Amino acid sequence: QVQLVESGGGLVQAGGSLRLSCAASERTFSLYHIGWFRQAPGKEREFVGCITWSTSSTYYADSVKGRFTISRDNAKNTAYLQMNSLKPEDTAVYYCAATPGYSGIYYTTENEYNYWGQGTQVTVSS
């Protein structure tokens, strides 16, 4: 099975930036689609964005489009979520998820992912 470890969360002022990392223990990491989700207090977990294994193409939720960037470094078995222009409403626990999948498809729901990290807290102050 794939084990994911997230890091990089913390406290930042509105307008600032953070980069989250997701390190995988799987040698075949390059073949997995990676998704990022977040869950704010009292809210359902929501999709943030994802990156495919075949072409490293990305797709983002409207709420973060233009501000967040997902990337991956397969040589390091690591995926990243670069968050810029952060807003207080971005405050949440952020989760990295992985799943084997088909090329040319974006996986945007929780049920489509097999493996999850422990989550890392991101707090944006106003």
Side-chain angles (χ1 to χ4, degrees), residues 89-110:
E89 50 263 47
D90 294 319
T91 295
V93 176
Y94 283 72
Y95 298 89
C96 178
T99 189
Y102 298 99
S103 62
I105 298 176
Y106 294 123
Y107 298 108
T108 62
T109 66
E110 294 181 54

Side-chain angles (χ1 to χ4, degrees), residues 49-64:
C50 61
I51 185 167
T52 67
W53 68 266
S54 57
T55 61
S56 292
S57 60
T58 54
Y59 178 77
Y60 302 94
D62 288 341
S63 59
V64 306

Side-chain angles (χ1 to χ4, degrees), residues 26-101:
E26 173 59 51
R27 290 182 296 172
T28 58
F29 174 80
S30 62
L31 301 180
Y32 285 77
H33 292 247
I34 302 297
W36 286 93
F37 294 79
R38 66 185 182 184
Q39 187 168 19
K43 301 237 177 179
E44 296 291 322
R45 189 172 300 183
E46 66 172 338
F47 172 76
V48 174
C50 61
I51 185 167
T52 67
W53 68 266
S54 57
T55 61
S56 292
S57 60
T58 54
Y59 178 77
Y60 302 94
D62 288 341
S63 59
V64 306
K65 194 175 300 181
R67 299 187 298 120
F68 291 10
T69 302
I70 297 172
S71 61
R72 65 191 300 166
D73 187 339
N74 292 332
K76 297 180 179 179
N77 289 349
T78 302
Y80 304 96
L81 177 64
Q82 178 67 48
M83 304 183 293
N84 299 324
S85 301
L86 283 163
K87 306 173 181 179
E89 50 263 47
D90 294 319
T91 295
V93 176
Y94 283 72
Y95 298 89
C96 178
T99 189

Side-chain angles (χ1 to χ4, degrees), residues 17-29:
S17 299
L18 283 174
R19 189 182 75 162
L20 306 184
S21 298
C22 176
S25 62
E26 173 59 51
R27 290 182 296 172
T28 58
F29 174 80

